[in-house]
Structure formats: structure tokens, C-alpha cells
Amino acid sequence: MASITASYPWTTAPLIAGAPMRLISGPSLVHAISAAGGIGFLAAGTDVSTLSENLSAFKSLLSTSPIPGAPSDVLPIGVGFILWGADLKLAVKALSELPEPPAAVWLFAPSSSEELGSWANGIRSATKNKSKIWVQASCVADAIEAIKVANPDVFVIQGADAGGHGRYASAGLISLVPELIDAVREYYGNLNGGGDTSSFPSPPKFVAAGGIADERGVNAILALGADGAALGTRFLAAEEAVIRKGYQDAVLKAEDGGNNTIRTDVYDKLRGTIGWPEGYGGRGVINLSYVDAIKGVSFEENEKLYKVAEGAGDKGWEEGNARMTTYAGTAVGLVKKVAKAGDIVRELRGQRI
Amino acid sequence: MASITASYPWTTAPLIAGAPMRLISGPSLVHAISAAGGIGFLAAGTDVSTLSENLSAFKSLLSTSPIPGAPSDVLPIGVGFILWGADLKLAVKALSELPEPPAAVWLFAPSSSEELGSWANGIRSATKNKSKIWVQASCVADAIEAIKVANPDVFVIQGADAGGHGRYASAGLISLVPELIDAVREYYGNLNGGGDTSSFPSPPKFVAAGGIADERGVNAILALGADGAALGTRFLAAEEAVIRKGYQDAVLKAEDGGNNTIRTDVYDKLRGTIGWPEGYGGRGVINLSYVDAIKGVSFEENEKLYKVAEGAGDKGWEEGNARMTTYAGTAVGLVKKVAKAGDIVRELRGQRI
């Protein structure tokens, strides 16, 4: 069975993916991650309208700084979509126009299985099967359902520790990775007449996400059976991230991630983000907005205070005043310095910088 | 720095500990775990009155089936106490009477730091420092506080995926193990004048618990920096566990652990367990009692239905009728067969059975 890096020939094992963080994972960040032998995912998120522009910006970077080993028929990056909010037709149009589509497309948070199936088919057709389909799953049930409708090339196994949006009902990677992999392999084995799964033509690969911030986490998910690691929170402290200084400083400062982050819908409501399918919440650092919501401060009052903080710029993240959202996973306490994304990737692979 | 197995000379690396599951971890189970080169923890739990009897039963087993490598001055097992409910004076009395105290004592869920300190001091004095003090911590703040009052020999790092009782505010082991270890080492380094922590006389060891069920989980927590693994859920399916067949069958049957277990106080309330300190809940398989509680069925009605299930014996765990509590961690989906505890220990270490 070929290793996952064989499908992305510019990458180095173990595979490190930069998660498509909405608004944050832009052309410079994904270029830096891929240039270091990882795979950066550009965030299309829920708004596909900026995708073509971002892809053009990436291609400019690529022409100035080519990535050795990148194939000629695909771009050496991925693109991530948040399915409930993104427009499939626009996505198909943007991708169809590209002579070289992205090497991978990461599909997250469909409203329904049907929607996931439509996206997988739509993207495969738009990219003439050149883009590998990565599907995010945070439980076994989702993974099995995804096989039926989308036949993923790669599963992104999202654990409960992940920052930003994910399922409330989820497990940490320590149990989720082995259980999900076993269940998917068993399912493929049964499809394959109950025989040895290794003879199945293209069993999916598995990339784990949620709670990984350094080489130890990467080695742990490899021990659990994953083929690679995806990280968001660690790249919030990348020099190339598109992120407010107040947000980045709050990430560097946060400690004791299990104790000081929470998965909730409080931040979505205050930010006016509506539409996430039932069962999803966003994990972020606990701040005054959350504390007040739990205390019973009315939404109107809490929103008023949030707007004041929003108007205060970076100070809206500062202690005593912190009401701006700091989406981050429980690994936030392991993130202590800003670094070049390429150095982060190399450190994650265990190289000395 | 000596490895953790050096302190428990009958054990084999990597160290596998059997968690002290209240009512379930009895003399036969802990003997079988230790005889296989692990360390079994007898559950004193909240009720110390049965401790002397259980220790006698263990010693009988030991005289019939000696454990090679066991030292002569301690018993080759541990004992676990739930501090908020257990009586320190009774514990001290029971342990003082023993010519050989247990090799380790595991302290969990104190009502306060002072209580934890009193237990650590009381046990050390009762056992003439022969019993190593294991302290459970599920966040960095708890660990640092525990150092100040109890100077643990071993930290049991409990992740959010653990079954039974634990903190709501917690992270999975994937981020918790490295962050907690780094923070504790930094704290000891500072105590030690900011110098190299390796010269500190006895820095604590770290055993990880929560979500581990097979060799992959053990290898993962070693990669994260832990010295050993503690397991509860996996040993629910040990032949030697003191467990109702209905409960054990429910464990074997449960799948998709993140999706189908929940940390809650619903089960405590129905079982009449009161007294857990604020912030603790018990993770168990989602059953009709939980579903009804969430649906808004009154406590009185839900309790009535629970009592009926209780009266039905093992059927109280069966599908369509499942109201009896199945405490288990998210790794429950990886537990698929009943086995001898010794074989479980050997499999966890990667030996072929």
C-alpha cells in the first residue's frame, strides 16, 4: 500500500497538513507550509467568492518561489470548504477554470449526507479527478456514512480537542483514531468480500486533527495508526497567518488548554454566525463573553459589551477586557512562540531548526 | 533518571496500571494484572471499611500464586482512594496494620488541596514512606497545586476520554500529556534554581489514563512523553472483574465511543451518589435514563423507571430497556471481547497472545 506522501510528491513523511482556517489560512501561509514539505489548505470556508483571487495569489507566490517536487498537473496545496455555507456551483466554477486544480479538497460540515455526496461528485468532475477528496469525520457513524456517499481518498479524523468548529459529540484522538480506522477498514474489508483489506484498490488514508501541537503529538497519532497530522491552532502562531495581533497574542498567552477552552455556540451568536448544522460548536479560549453568558447576562447586554470590545481593536483580546473570540484547540497551551510556518512544519517532523 | 518500572520491580515496561474502579477492581483482578507484570490498583473508593478484607484476600492469592520479582517489603499492587468520600483515619489504620503496605496509593478527587495534602502525609506516615503516592490530575492547575501539597511520586494524567468520574473541564491526552509534563518539569526546574531538572532528586513520573484500550494507545501516550498507561474501561472486560454480566455485555456492545458516551451527573443522581466535588461528572454509555433526562422527563419519573430496570437484573442493561449505568470511557468501542486480565496486559505491551 503506497504511503500518503506518494499522492503529494512534494511532501515529506510524516505528512503535516495545515488546516483550512477560515479567514486565516491564506496564500502565504499555505505556500509556506507546502514549501516545507507539508500540505497547506487554503480556506474557502463558507464564502467561495474570494477563492479565485486567493488561488491567483498563491500561483504568483509559486511562480516566484517554486516548490520542488510539485507535480505539473495540480497545485501543491489543498482547498477547504465548509459545506453548509459554501456555494457548490461557485466552487465548481472556480475550480473548473483552473488549468491545475488543487491537489486536495477538504470537505467539512455538510448539512446532510446528500450534500456531502454532491460536493464530492461535483469537485471530482470539476477537477477531472485530479483533486483528492478529503472528508472530515469526528465519529465512526459519520465516517461510514461518508464512505457511502463520497468514497473519500482521505479521512480527516477530527478529535474533540480541535479548535474552532467541530462536533460536541466526539472523542479525543487517543480513542477516536484507532476506532475509526478499524471500523473503516472493516467496512472496506466487507465490501471486498470479507477478504484482506490490503487488496482493496484504494482504501482511504487517515489524517488526524485536534490537539496536536508539536512533534510528540505527531508521533502519537502515527502510533495510533494515522498516516499524517493536520494542525490549526499551531499555525495561528505562524508569521504568515492572516490574524490580528490581539488574537495571536491571546493564543500565545493561553495555558492549560482543557481547563481554559470550551466548545460552545456563545461566540457564534455574538459574532452573528448562523447556520452551523445542529451538533456543532466552536472551541475557543474562555473569555469574558463566555463567562457572562454562563452567568446569565442577557444576550443583548453581552452583545453590547462585545461590540465595544470589537471597536477596541487588539485591546479587545487583552486581559480584563477579553471579549473577542480566540478560537483555539486544547493544544493552545503548547503554543508559545510565533515562528515561520516552514519551521513549524519541520519541527513537527522532528527536525532541529 | 531511573525508569518507572524500577520502582515496581515485578513490572515490565511499558508500565500498565489497572485503574482502581470502585466495586469492580477486586483482589482477583489486581492480582492478575500485577502477575502479568503490570500494577493492579485495588479500589477502596469511598468506602474504606472493606479494604482490610480485600487486602487479606489479595494476600491469600499471592501466597497461592506468588508474583516473581515482587519485593518483600511491599505488596505488588496499589490501592486507590476517592478522597472526598473516604475516611482518612480508617485508611491510615488499615494500612498501618499491614506488615507490607501496597507499593502505591492512588489519590483521586479531594474536596480541597488541604485534604489532598493530609492524605499524602497520612499515607506516607502510615506506610513509613513505602507506598509511592500517585495523584490524579486532569489539568495543569491541579497538577501544580498537587506538587505544593503532596509532592506526588507519580501523576496520573486523566484525559477527558476517561470513563467514570473525572473533570468536565479537561483535555484529551493528546494535548494534556505534553502540556502537563512540560509544566510540571518547568515548575521543578524553577524550584531547582532554574537549573537542569534532571538533577532534581526525584521528579515525578507520569502515567496517562483516559481513552487507551490497546497497544496503539499505549504507544501513543509513550510518544507523548508519559512513562506508563492506566486503563479502566479495557479491564471492565477482564474475566476477573467484579462486574454484572449485563454491564459487561453493554461494554462489549457499545461502539463509536465519542458519540455514544457522555460525561454527566444524571447517572449519579439516579444511583443516589452524592458528594462529588463541583466540576466532576461520570462518563458512561448514553442510555434511556440519560435520553429521558435530557428530554425533560421529571427526575421522579426517571428514577421510578430506573428502579424498575434495577429490579430486572441484567436485563436492565439490554437494548430497549437500558437504564442501568454503564460507566465507560470513549475507548469502549475498542473493547470487543472478554479476556483474562493477564492477557490484556500482555497485549497492551505488544506481546502476541
Side-chain angles (χ1 to χ4, degrees):
Chain A
M1 207 160 41
S3 78
I4 191 170
T5 48
S7 298
Y8 313 95
W10 71 94
T11 63
T12 302
L15 185 73
I16 304 298
M21 295 180 284
R22 196 170 76 90
L23 307 176
I24 293 167
S25 300
S28 298
L29 180 60
V30 302
H31 181 273
I33 292 172
S34 288
I39 176 167
F41 279 80
L42 200 56
T46 49
D47 176 13
V48 181
S49 68
T50 57
L51 177 59
S52 294
E53 189 187 323
N54 279 328
L55 285 167
S56 295
F58 170 75
K59 287 171 78 171
S60 297
L61 287 172
L62 190 63
S63 64
T64 323
S65 308
I67 295 178
S72 59
D73 62 335
V74 291
L75 297 177
I77 54 166
V79 172
F81 294 97
I82 297 173
L83 304 198
W84 65 261
D87 185 317
L88 174 55
K89 280 188 196 156
L90 287 183
V92 163
K93 184 165 183 291
L95 296 176
S96 303
E97 286 166 355
L98 293 170
E100 308 91 24
V105 169
W106 172 326
L107 305 179
F108 176 43
S111 305
S112 66
S113 291
E114 292 68 36
E115 189 173 54
L116 177 59
S118 302
W119 272 81
N121 292 334
I123 300 292
R124 284 194 167 111
S125 150
T127 68
K128 303 190 178 65
N129 287 311
K130 287 190 210 164
S131 300
K132 301 277 184 196
I133 301 296
W134 292 35
V135 174
Q136 193 165 326
S138 57
C139 62
V140 174
D142 276 1
I144 300 300
E145 189 60 28
I147 294 172
K148 296 177 191 167
V149 298
N151 192 26
D153 298 298
V154 172
F155 272 111
V156 181
I157 308 177
Q158 186 193 31
D161 292 289
H165 284 81
R167 291 258 202 204
Y168 288 105
S170 183
L173 293 178
I174 197 88
S175 65
L176 181 60
V177 170
E179 189 183 5
L180 192 148
I181 290 178
D182 285 355
V184 168
R185 293 219 167 117
E186 190 187 340
Y187 186 88
Y188 274 86
N190 291 339
L191 281 184
N192 207 18
D196 182 356
T197 60
S198 61
S199 65
F200 191 85
S202 59
K205 301 288 183 186
F206 301 93
V207 168
I212 308 164
D214 63 20
E215 187 194 355
R216 293 170 289 186
V218 173
N219 288 336
I221 59 92
L222 295 175
L224 293 168
D227 300 291
L231 298 90
T233 303
R234 182 65 192 92
F235 289 113
L236 291 175
E239 286 180 10
E240 298 86 349
V242 183
I243 186 170
R244 291 289 299 262
K245 187 168 186 309
Y247 185 173
Q248 197 173 55
D249 286 347
V251 167
L252 298 178
K253 202 177 150 214
E255 294 184 337
D256 210 359
N259 220 3
N260 295 321
T261 67
I262 190 87
R263 189 172 301 289
T264 177
D265 65 357
V266 166
Y267 303 130
D268 275 338
K269 284 180 180 159
L270 288 171
R271 290 154 60 98
T273 310
I274 43 174
W276 278 95
E278 210 188 313
Y280 286 85
R283 183 182 289 280
V285 175
I286 292 174
N287 66 17
L288 293 175
S289 293
Y290 178 79
V291 170
D292 280 351
I294 294 305
K295 255 197 219 159
V297 169
S298 73
F299 176 74
E300 291 67 28
E301 175 65 16
N302 210 3
E303 193 186 30
K304 210 173 77 184
L305 292 164
Y306 176 80
K307 298 278 180 206
V308 173
E310 203 174 17
D314 291 331
K315 288 192 200 305
W317 277 278
E318 282 179 12
E319 200 162 348
N321 196 28
R323 292 184 176 273
M324 296 299 289
T325 306
T326 304
Y327 282 130
T330 67
V332 70
L334 291 163
V335 180
K336 309 216 166 180
K337 63 176 202 304
V338 174
K340 287 185 198 305
D343 286 342
I344 294 172
V345 171
R346 284 180 282 269
E347 278 186 343
L348 287 164
R349 286 199 305 257
Q351 294 169 243
R352 298 270 173 153
I353 304 304
Chain B
M1 207 160 38
S3 78
I4 192 170
T5 49
S7 298
Y8 314 96
W10 72 93
T11 62
T12 302
L15 186 73
I16 304 297
M21 294 180 285
R22 196 169 77 89
L23 308 175
I24 294 167
S25 301
S28 298
L29 180 60
V30 303
H31 182 273
I33 291 171
S34 288
I39 176 167
F41 279 80
L42 200 56
T46 50
D47 177 12
V48 182
S49 68
T50 59
L51 177 60
S52 294
E53 190 187 323
N54 279 329
L55 285 166
S56 295
F58 171 75
K59 287 170 78 172
S60 299
L61 287 171
L62 191 62
S63 64
T64 322
S65 307
I67 294 178
S72 59
D73 63 336
V74 291
L75 298 176
I77 54 165
V79 173
F81 295 96
I82 297 172
L83 304 198
W84 64 261
D87 185 317
L88 174 57
K89 279 187 196 156
L90 287 182
V92 162
K93 185 164 180 293
L95 295 177
S96 303
E97 285 166 357
L98 294 169
E100 309 91 22
V105 170
W106 171 326
L107 306 178
F108 177 42
S111 305
S112 65
S113 291
E114 291 68 35
E115 189 172 55
L116 177 60
S118 303
W119 272 82
N121 292 334
I123 301 292
R124 284 195 167 110
S125 150
T127 68
K128 302 191 179 65
N129 287 310
K130 287 189 208 163
S131 300
K132 300 277 183 196
I133 301 297
W134 292 34
V135 174
Q136 193 165 325
S138 58
C139 62
V140 173
D142 277 2
I144 299 301
E145 189 61 28
I147 295 173
K148 295 178 191 167
V149 298
N151 194 25
D153 297 298
V154 173
F155 272 110
V156 181
I157 307 176
Q158 186 192 31
D161 293 287
H165 284 81
R167 292 258 200 204
Y168 288 104
S170 184
L173 293 177
I174 197 90
S175 65
L176 182 61
V177 169
E179 188 183 5
L180 193 148
I181 290 178
D182 285 354
V184 168
R185 292 215 170 121
E186 188 186 343
Y187 186 87
Y188 273 86
N190 290 340
L191 280 184
N192 208 18
D196 181 354
T197 60
S198 63
S199 63
F200 192 85
S202 59
K205 301 287 184 189
F206 301 93
V207 168
I212 307 164
D214 63 20
E215 187 195 357
R216 293 170 288 186
V218 173
N219 288 338
I221 60 93
L222 296 175
L224 293 168
D227 300 292
L231 297 89
T233 303
R234 182 65 192 93
F235 289 113
L236 291 174
E239 285 180 11
E240 299 86 348
V242 183
I243 185 169
R244 291 288 300 265
K245 187 167 185 314
Y247 185 172
Q248 199 172 57
D249 286 347
V251 166
L252 298 179
K253 203 178 150 216
E255 293 184 336
D256 209 359
N259 220 3
N260 295 320
T261 68
I262 190 87
R263 188 171 303 288
T264 176
D265 64 357
V266 167
Y267 303 130
D268 276 338
K269 285 180 179 158
L270 289 171
R271 290 154 60 98
T273 310
I274 42 173
W276 278 95
E278 209 189 312
Y280 286 85
R283 183 183 288 280
V285 175
I286 291 174
N287 66 16
L288 293 175
S289 294
Y290 178 78
V291 170
D292 280 351
I294 295 305
K295 256 198 221 158
V297 169
S298 74
F299 176 74
E300 292 67 28
E301 175 64 14
N302 209 1
E303 191 185 31
K304 212 173 76 185
L305 293 165
Y306 176 81
K307 298 277 181 205
V308 173
E310 202 173 19
D314 289 332
K315 288 192 201 302
W317 276 278
E318 283 179 9
E319 198 162 350
N321 197 27
R323 292 184 178 274
M324 297 298 289
T325 305
T326 304
Y327 282 130
T330 65
V332 70
L334 291 164
V335 180
K336 309 215 164 178
K337 64 178 203 302
V338 175
K340 288 185 197 305
D343 285 342
I344 293 172
V345 171
R346 285 180 282 269
E347 278 186 343
L348 287 163
R349 286 200 304 257
Q351 293 169 243
R352 296 268 171 154
I353 304 303

